[in-house]
DNA sequence: CAATTGCATGTTATGTCATAACATTTAGAG
DNA sequence: CTCTAAATGTTATGACATAACATGCAATTG
């Protein structure tokens, strides 16, 4: 139904770690979390992350070099997903917007650009942290 | 007129290197280009880049860890700038879109998010490279 | 079964990007 | 001149990511 194959042991472990975290994690943080499960080297994490991104189960946040579990099982319907990242508490909100997709799609079409991956990330403070900062 | 002070020697050298390159450069590539001008350490480059970004003369491309000279002297009028990055030839096109800004602004307002920096980057192949790939 | 194939994994080493910490120099303001 | 703030120089280290090669393991197929 979801369109992705069974996960391997390493992929499952990495995904579980991200789900449990409820926030972005760096690859090396994931590695440390999985030491007890036999993980020894960064590549074990990066290879699992690569597959999980292919399956659409994990997103990479380019601007902070971190990874999050996908919050929306239907996000692969969209050509692009936007993230709002709180630099204070680490909270990440994932959303998509048809209009933004359409406008960027227009630019791409007008310039005959062949997009492979689109990144939209807003960094700042979430409502809770912004209120607290007063 | 432009609203930024005179550049220091290091800042000028880094900006000149980026202007000359006509494409994104990594900090370490800039360092190598400026060895003959007395540059010895990465921090000299990163510090100059930091200031140049403040002045709006340089942009950082988050998704490829590289820097480009700003193509539009008026880009600071916009709250966000989008980049189309060719993964084949390295060409970078810089553009902005009021509608995209407005839509993301709506999300931000609705969620009481306080944005600090917004990243929009489309990676793929430019028209020339996409045509050649046929 | 044995052989082949493809993918996932394990491991070591290395490459790439970025900043901490501290000393020194430079340019203005008073 | 003296004080101050900013910029610079330098060494060391931290953080993120991948190359290269060996091994294991399951599915197919002859």
């Amino acid at each position: 139904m979801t369109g992705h194959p069974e996960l391997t042991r390493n992929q499952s472990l990495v995904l579980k770690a991200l789900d449990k975290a409820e926030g972005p994690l760096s690859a090396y943080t994931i590695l440390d979390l999985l030491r007890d499960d036999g993980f020894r080297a960064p590549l074990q994490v990066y290879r699992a992350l690569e597959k999980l991104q292919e399956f659409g189960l994990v997103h990479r946040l380019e601007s902070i070099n971190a990874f999050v579990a996908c919050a929306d099982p239907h996000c692969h319907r969209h050509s692009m997903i936007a993230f709002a990242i709180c630099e204070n508490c680490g909270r990440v909100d994932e959303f998509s917007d048809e209009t933004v997709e359409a406008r960027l799609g227009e630019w791409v079409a007008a310039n005959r650009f062949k997009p492979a991956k689109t990144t939209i990330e807003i960094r700042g403070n979430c409502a809770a942290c912004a209120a607290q900062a007063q």
Side-chain angles (χ1 to χ4, degrees), chain A:
Chain A
M1 210 46 89
T2 53
H4 59 81
E6 291 303 311
L7 299 181
T8 66
R9 168 181 159 82
N10 284 6
Q11 290 159 13
S12 292
L13 286 169
V14 168
L15 183 55
K16 266 184 210 125
L18 283 172
D19 271 330
K20 213 168 152 189
E22 300 232 358
L25 296 178
S26 77
Y28 277 74
T29 300
I30 296 172
L31 174 57
D32 286 337
L33 291 173
L34 297 179
R35 294 269 182 207
D36 293 342
D37 296 293
F39 274 54
R40 307 289 301 277
L43 259 194
Q44 295 175 291
V45 177
Y46 282 109
R47 288 203 274 230
L49 286 171
E50 188 178 15
K51 288 298 177 187
L52 291 169
Q53 285 176 266
E54 279 177 27
F55 302 153
L57 300 173
V58 163
H59 300 294
R60 174 184 166 80
L61 302 176
E62 310 276 2
S63 64
I64 60 171
N65 296 325
F67 303 84
V68 282
C70 179
D72 175 7
H74 299 113
C75 73
H76 52 277
R77 285 193 196 159
H78 299 279
S79 61
M80 54 195 68
I81 307 168
F83 300 93
I85 304 166
C86 179
E87 292 178 312
N88 185 245
C89 70
R91 171 180 173 151
V92 175
D93 283 312
E94 181 180 333
F95 66 98
S96 54
D97 185 293
E98 305 283 353
T99 305
V100 171
E101 286 184 32
R103 293 292 291 181
L104 295 182
E106 281 173 38
W107 188 94
V108 155
N111 290 270
R112 289 186 175 70
F113 192 92
K114 296 279 184 222
K117 186 180 177 194
T118 299
T119 296
I120 304 178
E121 296 176 14
I122 308 174
R123 274 169 299 154
N125 286 310
C126 69
C129 290
Q132 209 160 16
Q134 296 301 339

